[in-house]
Amino acid sequence: MHKLLLSTSVGAFALLSFGAANADELVTLQKDPKQWALPTGDYANTRYSSLKQINTENVGKLAPAWTFSTGVLRGHEGAPLVVGDVMYLHTPFPNIVYALDLNDSGKILWKYEPKQDPSVVPVMCCDTVNRGLAYGDGKIFLAQADTTLVALDAKTGKLVWSVKNGDPSKGQTSTAAPHVFKDKVFVGIAGGEFGVRGHITAYDVKDGKEVWRGYSMGPDADTLIDPDKTTHLGKPVGKDSGISTWEGEQWKTGGGTTWGWYSYDPELNLIYYGSGNPSTWNPKQRPGDNRWSMTIWARDLDTGKVKWLYQMTPHDEWDYDGINEMILADQDMGAGVKRKTLVHFDRNGFAYTLDRVTGELLVAEKYDPAVNWATKVDMDKNSPTYGRPQVVAKYSTDKNGEDTNTQGVCPAALGSKDEQPASFNPDTGLFYVPTNHVCMDYEPFRVSYTAGQPYVGATLEMFPAGRVLGDKTDNTGNFIAWDARAGKIVWSDKEQFSVWSGTVTTAGGLAFYGTLEGYLKAVDLKTGKELYKFKTPSGIIGNVITYEHAGKQYVAVLSGVGGWAGIGLAAGLSKSNEGLGAVGNYASLSNYTALGGVLTVFALPN
Amino acid sequence: MRLSLTGALALGVIVSVGAVAHAEAPGDPKAVKSVDGKYFDAKGDPTYNVQPDGTVDFYTFSGYRRYHSECHVCHGPNAEGSTYAPALKDSVKRFNYQEFAGIVIGGRENKTAGNESVMPSFAENKNAMCYLDDIYIYLRARSTDAIGRGRPEKKEEKPAAFSEAEAKCMSAK
């Protein structure tokens, strides 16, 4: 078994020298800044590039070099891949894949368009987004909306194999990018608003054979949790922890879906990801901690066995999905000791720094001062509530109960940050984070479960955080620099709208991100000063990437407004009778931008 | 049994299946009578009632809630539309009650290439079907700006007839 071969190899990142050629290839590819071969840039999800042809001195001269229309109007999340001379680009439903020739201004080398039953469309909550492709073993992997995972020959676009990962008639869909780590491709499942029980599945890159599947809740045999060895905050979790904190059979429709970004530490052979909200949004209907929704997971790559877990929001009452990316960075956590850390900016408004070897909680601090649903996370190891958020009663939708409107909760359900990934820059040692600055009223009520039908159970209304803070501001986004050792904001740039775009940072001293109005922006890593902006054809909810081709550095981003941002913000958020702040009338997104998927590629002029 | 078209009929929804070629436009939403706390326009279609101090009838309030749990994920907050689906506060100016009910029960597909979207059928979803009138009433109130964005602040008492119908509909098999 080649699995054995892999796990016995010495863990050193640079010294991987086992048989699987494809694993070698990915390690090499992600170290080459000329390419962008993984949806997350690298295994560690740093989204950092050592390219510096474009830098703080010359970025002001940046200009579009070429553009490409995807032919699709829906919301465009994710980013293309660049492998060698080819760019691979995905679209939202119908999930077209294009291979574009970088030697010929993006000429189409091949195109793949799956045939999918459109009945999957209405079970995709919040637009028909897709967050991109993965590359490995000479193949391009696409997780279609209808949960079919396909492997395409990277050279020709021909289908090599395909496998069905879920059932859309039960509300199971795919929105996330697949991830290739070593010799396996990993996919999750979406549908937390349809009572789907989340899982992550590993398939063999060669033939699509299922290697393992781990559920977010249920018996230990389903979750792959070892009651004696798997730990939560340093203690073994005990038998069937994925059932014992639920009432009756509620875990079967328990949510905890897995639609975010995954990371991998080859030395530890562990993969990391987060699970989403428990279903329904009405907390009264599901008493208990609802383990293991809202959890950071560390699983063995080869077996799926869980090494450790950390549940951030036990018994969620606000839809604070825990799916955001886990960034693996080695940081000096005091006394000059470098630790292998994991940094995670959760929807719940806390940024967590953990020891990724053991799962020990090191830092948990608010990364938006507006966050009010909890005072803090209990960091006292001897406390019975160690590791738990200290929920403020007034903002507890469970305590206030069904049919009561809990008002002024920050953040809103879309979180202080959603899926749009942050970047870690090793040169500054800081994290650069696209955030939301939005609060909400939340009213849970009773719902009944029907397979394949929405299972939401709460009404919410969102508004700029300034309404709760009473500070006369009306911005709904910030772009921030974060110190994950101290748990402190270093600087914060206001954005009129939620920043719903993934960031890339570079050795050129720059952070790039997109805005919902459609601007691609470059800011100085040290100060946050805006050095460049350009208005692309539509609002940006995609992630910025950078690569080099024929001696030139490029920056690329998909525009195409939509997604949850497009739904929530299209018409603006303020009450009709509110004249907030200096701008007076909080403007609606639809005054700035319209639909349309376009890739814009930037470079310095010759 | 599933809550089907017939179930919907039993709820008092008169459905004209299929495309209505020359549909009658919706009438003036002004309430002319009230039965057990529910208001009706001159044509006998359900409508809203907002008192001078902003107090809304209970159905408008209920419709606000149900809209923001079943519909807003596609149609956007406050019925004002999104990048994905149209603003229903405008749609109800064009659709009469039957047409509205027909679309929600039957669903609709937009197959324009590159812009595929689907309005799902809600025939089997009690969380929507049991509140179809309420949602329609709420949308009508939004269509004339009789109520603004956000949650109506003051509402009439929940009528006993409302609770009764709700319990019956939600527990129907």
Side-chain angles (χ1 to χ4, degrees), chain A residues 71-74 118 121-122 127 403 405 443 445 448 453-454 458-459 461 561-562 566-568 570-572 574-576 595, chain B residues 64-66 68-70 72-73 76-77 80-84 109 114-118 120 124-125 127 148-151 153:
Chain A
V72 179
L73 293 177
R74 301 261 64 93
V121 172
D127 209 351
D403 303 325
N405 191 31
E443 178 178 347
F445 55 83
S448 65
Q453 292 289 342
T459 293
E461 189 186 339
V561 76
I567 284 163
S574 296
K575 283 200 173 167
S576 318
L595 302 177
Chain B
Y64 158 82
R65 281 208 326 195
R66 295 294 159 173
H68 285 92
S69 76
E70 304 304 322
H72 92 292
V73 293
E80 291 183 326
S82 75
T83 55
Y84 186 70
E109 235 173 76
N115 194 20
E116 286 92 345
S117 62
V118 179
E124 292 174 27
N125 186 337
N127 301 317
R149 283 181 173 183
R151 180 190 178 92
E153 271 157 32

Side-chain angles (χ1 to χ4, degrees), chain A residues 95-435:
Chain A
N95 305 134
I96 303 167
V97 181
Y98 295 101
L100 305 177
D101 187 355
L102 294 178
N103 290 324
D104 197 354
S105 290
K107 176 167 177 277
I108 300 171
L109 293 168
W110 55 257
K111 175 185 174 186
Y112 175 83
E113 181 166 351
K115 277 268 159 285
Q116 301 182 71
D117 184 344
S119 66
V120 66
V121 172
V123 290
M124 301 188 75
C125 144
C126 338
D127 209 351
T128 53
V129 296
N130 182 288
R131 298 193 193 87
L133 309 164
Y135 170 83
D137 194 35
K139 303 182 188 85
I140 291 293
F141 299 95
L142 162 74
Q144 296 174 190
D146 67 3
T147 76
T148 310
L149 173 67
V150 297
L152 308 173
D153 185 316
K155 289 216 174 64
T156 62
K158 292 230 160 57
L159 185 74
V160 183
W161 55 257
S162 86
V163 53
K164 197 94 177 123
N165 189 53
D167 179 359
S169 77
K170 302 206 168 74
Q172 298 168 2
T173 56
S174 260
T175 55
H179 294 77
V180 177
F181 300 138
K182 217 153 85 170
D183 56 348
K184 295 179 187 66
V185 51
F186 295 84
V187 282
I189 198 93
E193 279 56 60
F194 290 81
V196 169
R197 177 165 64 123
H199 51 70
I200 177 174
T201 312
Y203 295 98
D204 191 322
V205 287
K206 288 262 172 304
D207 51 15
K209 241 193 12 245
E210 183 177 320
V211 186
W212 56 261
R213 166 171 287 183
Y215 283 88
S216 300
M217 57 243 353
D220 291 339
D222 286 6
T223 56
L224 310 182
I225 285 172
D226 183 324
D228 305 317
K229 293 206 187 107
T230 304
T231 59
H232 182 244
L233 293 166
K235 297 210 177 83
V237 295
K239 193 168 153 31
D240 290 336
S241 53
I243 292 182
S244 56
T245 61
W246 293 87
E247 229 165 57
E249 308 228 298
Q250 287 187 339
W251 58 269
K252 289 187 174 168
T253 51
T257 51
T258 49
W259 52 276
W261 310 94
Y262 308 163
S263 49
Y264 172 49
D265 182 330
E267 282 178 28
L268 301 170
N269 206 39
L270 292 175
I271 60 166
Y272 303 92
Y273 68 97
S275 52
N277 61 288
S279 305
T280 112
W281 287 14
N282 176 2
K284 276 282 181 216
Q285 255 175 287
R286 44 170 172 76
D289 274 358
N290 309 132
R291 289 180 170 181
W292 295 98
S293 64
M294 306 303 208
T295 296
I296 301 176
W297 296 74
R299 288 186 189 267
D300 182 89
L301 175 117
D302 293 306
T303 62
K305 284 228 164 352
V306 183
K307 172 101 190 284
W308 58 262
L309 307 138
Y310 171 55
Q311 190 180 40
M312 298 168 283
T313 316
H315 186 63
D316 169 63
E317 310 170 42
W318 314 269
D319 186 37
Y320 295 150
D321 277 52
I323 62 90
N324 294 351
E325 75 285 359
M326 310 293 160
I327 305 175
L328 313 184
D330 297 348
Q331 301 188 85
D332 182 348
M333 296 306 293
V337 186
K338 275 240 165 171
R339 288 181 83 160
K340 272 177 165 287
T341 66
L342 173 155
V343 175
H344 169 77
F345 299 88
D346 199 60
R347 281 249 289 264
N348 74 12
F350 285 88
Y352 298 87
T353 307
L354 290 93
D355 182 314
R356 71 175 183 268
V357 183
T358 61
E360 183 190 344
L361 184 60
L362 305 173
V363 177
E365 293 291 342
K366 298 173 182 179
Y367 63 97
D368 178 356
V371 174
N372 65 11
W373 67 279
T375 50
K376 59 169 189 161
V377 173
D378 187 349
M379 301 299 284
D380 176 2
K381 284 193 175 148
N382 300 316
S383 159
T385 57
Y386 172 49
R388 294 179 79 95
Q390 304 299 293
V391 177
V392 176
K394 165 167 137 182
Y395 300 119
S396 166
T397 74
D398 186 276
K399 280 212 176 64
N400 295 337
E402 284 171 355
D403 303 325
T404 304
N405 191 31
T406 297
Q407 289 178 284
V409 187
C410 308
L414 41 69
S416 296
K417 173 182 163 308
D418 201 270
E419 58 78 26
Q420 59 279 20
S423 171
F424 172 65
N425 188 292
D427 307 329
T428 61
L430 301 178
F431 292 76
Y432 297 86
V433 195
T435 72

